[in-house]
Amino acid sequence: MSLPRKKMTDNFPGCPVEAALGFLDGKWKGVILFHLMGGTRRFNEMRRLMPNVTPRMLTKQLRELEDSGLISRTVYPVVPPHVDYDLTELGKTLEPVVRALHSWGLDHVVCRDNRIETSVEPLEEHNF
Amino acid sequence: MSLPRKKMTDNFPGCPVEAALGFLDGKWKGVILFHLMGGTRRFNEMRRLMPNVTPRMLTKQLRELEDSGLISRTVYPVVPPHVDYDLTELGKTLEPVVRALHSWGLDHVVCRDNRIETSVEPLEEHNF
DNA sequence: CCGTATCCTAGACGATACTG
DNA sequence: CAGTATCGTCTAGGATACGG
């Protein structure tokens, strides 16, 4: 039986920090989680929040987060299609981590246009 | 505090979370920072702490962290060579982030022994 | 002790176009 | 609206060997 061929040498994290970062690996995962902390989001809503992410990459990162158990994908079989993305309970446990990252970024990095972005129009207020 | 940039050519992050993660990008940076939180470390000391990292990769990640302003490298011109790595003041500001990652890893991931599991929800396998 | 020097490959990431 | 399908580039990361 062929196991998914990836190098089996050190496939597994040797340290909790490495393990945790493994879940955030990927260019957009942290940002996706951050935006989902503001509540349910739909696909094109995310695209609007993250204008530089191509649909292909957004799909890929969302699927990986879903496979990791951090977010859920809910499909409503209607026309036009309606898909909701949410944090799972496990995903919500990452909030302190994402909050710490966000706080550090605010304190130590100047973002594009010198403008600080927060999640746009959150369904629930979250003050960081 | 000065405003560090990884590289001048880097795209500006569109979100503080993305910005912060940019500094931790790389397979071993988080773990390196974590170990340096325990105090000054020397090169081969780090190798012992991270047995799976090749010297090439360790050097590379250390240099990038240094370029980011998160760690300092102190060379003592003696024989045999003696080099100390430490967190800078900026690097120390990342401690809450690294601690959050570490804590999450401890709470939700079981490392070693060829298995990785979460304690919250059943997870499919991960390839790290 | 503390690294470099080469060489190599998988896959991450992006651009663009298309679809049920 | 919410994605796929292709194709292409680039580089992070590893294996191995050597050097001051």
Side-chain angles (χ1 to χ4, degrees):
Chain A
M1 290 303 297
S2 57
L3 293 165
R5 273 303 292 185
K6 227 183 168 184
K7 288 172 189 135
M8 290 311 281
T9 59
D10 193 39
N11 249 357
F12 300 95
C15 155
V17 176
E18 185 189 345
L21 280 173
F23 284 81
L24 295 175
D25 197 33
K27 193 165 177 182
W28 310 105
K29 292 215 185 101
V31 190
I32 290 173
L33 291 175
F34 174 68
H35 286 308
L36 288 182
M37 284 169 58
T40 302
R41 302 289 182 200
R42 298 178 58 172
F43 189 82
N44 281 347
E45 206 176 352
M46 298 287 278
R47 291 193 66 183
R48 261 172 261 124
L49 291 167
M50 307 159 65
N52 295 321
V53 191
T54 63
R56 190 183 91 89
M57 281 315 296
L58 183 54
T59 301
K60 189 163 177 285
Q61 304 278 293
L62 285 168
R63 289 288 134 79
E64 289 176 17
L65 286 168
E66 196 190 353
D67 292 342
S68 297
L70 295 176
I71 71 173
S72 65
R73 178 172 178 271
T74 309
V75 182
Y76 299 93
V78 295
V79 180
H82 180 144
V83 178
D84 280 347
Y85 291 93
D86 288 280
L87 292 182
T88 60
E89 288 309 307
L90 180 62
K92 288 175 185 170
T93 65
L94 267 176
E95 289 200 23
V97 172
V98 178
R99 215 192 311 278
L101 287 164
H102 184 254
S103 174
W104 193 88
L106 284 180
D107 287 348
H108 299 97
V109 186
V110 177
C111 292
R112 178 170 45 232
D113 301 331
N114 245 0
R115 187 165 54 96
I116 296 310
E117 296 184 9
T118 56
S119 191
V120 180
E121 313 292 349
L123 303 180
E124 306 169 3
E125 277 294 45
H126 54 334
N127 7 297
F128 303 144
Chain B
M1 195 170 298
S2 61
L3 298 166
R5 288 241 86 88
K6 278 201 318 179
K7 294 170 189 168
M8 290 309 187
T9 55
D10 274 358
N11 292 330
F12 278 51
C15 155
V17 176
E18 185 189 344
L21 280 173
F23 284 81
L24 295 176
D25 197 33
K27 192 165 179 183
W28 310 104
K29 293 215 185 102
V31 189
I32 291 173
L33 291 175
F34 175 69
H35 285 308
L36 288 181
M37 284 168 59
T40 302
R41 303 287 182 200
R42 298 177 59 172
F43 189 83
N44 281 347
E45 206 177 351
M46 298 287 280
R47 290 192 68 183
R48 260 171 262 127
L49 290 167
M50 309 160 65
N52 296 320
V53 191
T54 63
R56 191 184 91 90
M57 282 313 297
L58 184 54
T59 301
K60 189 162 175 284
Q61 304 279 290
L62 286 167
R63 290 289 191 278
E64 288 177 17
L65 286 168
E66 195 189 353
D67 292 344
S68 298
L70 296 176
I71 71 174
S72 65
R73 178 172 178 271
T74 309
V75 182
Y76 299 93
V78 295
V79 180
H82 181 145
V83 179
D84 279 348
Y85 291 94
D86 288 280
L87 292 182
T88 60
E89 288 308 307
L90 179 62
K92 288 176 185 169
T93 65
L94 267 176
E95 289 199 23
V97 173
V98 178
R99 258 199 301 275
L101 287 164
H102 185 254
S103 174
W104 192 88
L106 282 180
D107 288 347
H108 302 284
V109 185
V110 177
C111 299
R112 308 185 198 285
D113 289 341
N114 291 347
R115 297 191 64 84
I116 175 172
E117 309 167 358
T118 66
S119 58
V120 169
E121 288 181 355
L123 275 196
E124 50 291 330
E125 82 232 71
H126 287 275
N127 292 320
F128 284 107

